[in-house]
Amino acid sequence: MWYICAILSVFAVVSAEDPYRFFTWNITYGDIYPLGIAQQGILINGQFPGPDIHAVTNDYLIINVHNNLPEPFLFSWNGVQQRKNSFQDGVYGTNCPIPPGKNFTYKIQVKDQIGSFFYFPSLAFNKAAGGFGGIRILSRPRIPVPFPEPDGDYTVLIGDWYKINHKVLKAILDYGKRLKFPDGILINGRGPNGSSFTVEPGKTYRFRISNVGLQNSLNFRVEGHKMKLVEVEGTHTIQTTLSSLDVHVGQSYSVLVTADQNAKDYYIAISTRFTSQILTSTAVLHYSNSRKPVSGPPPGGPTTEIDWSLKQARSIRTNLTASGPRPNPQGSYHYGQIKVSRTIKLANSAGLVNHKQRYAVNGVSFVEADTPLKLADYYKIGGVFRIGSIPDNPRGQSIHTDTSVMGADHKAFVEIVFENRENIVQSWHLDGYNFFVVGMDGGPWTPKSRKQYNLIDAVSRCTTQVYPMSWTAVYVALDNVGMWNLRSQFWARQYLGQQFYLRVYTPVQSVRDEYPIPKNALLCGRAKNRHT
């Protein structure tokens, strides 16, 4: 009996500490009805949206993806940093697509991360057909979290949506035209009042909100309830109370909502921001003892007010005393005291190239190479890309196409200034990293703008907005070797060239800095006959 108990206890310990989580996903097309009419959607194991990924800091995620679509496919993991492993990033610059009828297994470690993120299909215009889902990374049991454990935890995927088939949308862009305004807003893959979140009176719930849409900033609010902001893309924030929250495309937030009102059903309202035509959709906050359905109009929210949104964005700051993924406080990394080694200014622009619509960064509109850039770099295949094909600063107004790659030194500490000289709200994302959003304001950026930087408790995140005719500045420590996609989250712009790759390089080849190519890596293009 003692021997049996000892064996069982060993199995219990192994099970409790097992860092591997296994997923098998079958990717298919299927009929979906998000806005009341049949559409072709991308399903994961028959689901739209896809299943949530639940993980704990440092877990390994083993995700076997079977592509049953008639075209190539890839997933990318918005906000998951892929430490030392850009081979798993899932964009065309790093990975060969999964061919139709084949499978590929992603092997991802959520190293030193917590927080709320999402995954999505990265190729072509597949994102407009679904295939997205939430990612939540929980703190390890002994790491303190700066708020009581909530009574429930909900994923809320919001985003604008087209009734038009995603292949037709892609064809419009390929033809050199712009897309029209979206048709509606989805909340967890459903239209107005199609989603419901049940709460118990007096209890508090965490809502992990991600804007998985294609272009529009969205405002999130709960009728009759306040929200407490607690986390932004892996950073615990100073806990501010909000009546509504702007979530720009590609961004993720966590808020706490307490069911402290009279027992009935309440609207959760989502509406577009900074648009002449306002789209609104609703879900239901359902009290478990409610006998009253939602009624009347949903609560109104801000519409085109930029100053309101800018003020809210500046108020989002890091909780310096809270632990992050490690037990040491988030404020122990004094980013404001590190000397900047390089300043990069990035300006977005739109224009025509060969009479077709294109979008650019510093005058360069990205075009894909015939071989993923990371593979070309790893195997030293010449002629695929040129380091320095995009400048550090804007140059003139003209646009040209290139496979734009910017070189950067490993462990450099860089200032990036995003300049938006257009009358849109821009949203920028950097794979492989979080950055500190140290400042944002209207007008042109100048060196004097640094006087207003927040060098103490700026929020650390992976996606930031830039308001019309404005700038946003970030600091980033380039401590993650690899080939990393820096892109507009405005998806038509990304597809038509508003992106590039940041090659973070060290001449020292060591697993201390970067893992070797995975043995199961798919090889294509000029790397097709190489070996892993």
Side-chain angles (χ1 to χ4, degrees), residues 3 38-39 100 147 180 182 189 222 238 263 274 293 327 345 356 377 386 410 457 470 472 503 532:
Y3 178 77
Q39 291 182 252
F147 51 87
K180 69 180 186 67
V222 183
I238 292 176
F274 322 114
K345 291 173 64 178
K356 290 186 176 183
D377 200 24
R386 179 174 56 88
H410 182 217
D457 59 357
S470 301
T472 294
R503 178 185 184 254
T532 62

Side-chain angles (χ1 to χ4, degrees), residues 14-51:
V14 171
S15 176
E17 297 179 356
D18 188 358
Y20 289 87
R21 298 176 187 265
F22 295 88
F23 306 83
T24 299
W25 287 356
N26 289 301
I27 313 305
T28 60
Y29 281 131
D31 286 340
I32 57 175
Y33 301 81
L35 293 178
I37 63 171
Q39 291 182 252
Q40 184 186 61
I42 294 177
L43 311 181
I44 304 174
N45 296 345
Q47 298 181 44
F48 169 75

Side-chain angles (χ1 to χ4, degrees), residues 146 229-232 235-240 254 316-319 330 459:
L229 181 66
V230 294
E231 178 253 332
V232 174
T235 299
H236 289 130
T237 62
I238 292 176
Q239 296 178 15
T240 53
S254 282
I316 299 173
R317 297 178 291 152
T318 295
N319 183 337
Q330 294 179 138
V459 69

Side-chain angles (χ1 to χ4, degrees), residues 10 26 80 86 90 127 156 164 211 222 250 342 389 449 461 474 513 522:
V10 168
N26 289 301
V80 177
S86 63
K127 192 180 181 187
V156 187
I164 302 171
N211 186 338
V222 183
R342 178 181 178 185
S389 46
S449 302
R461 64 185 315 165
V474 306
D513 298 324
L522 300 175

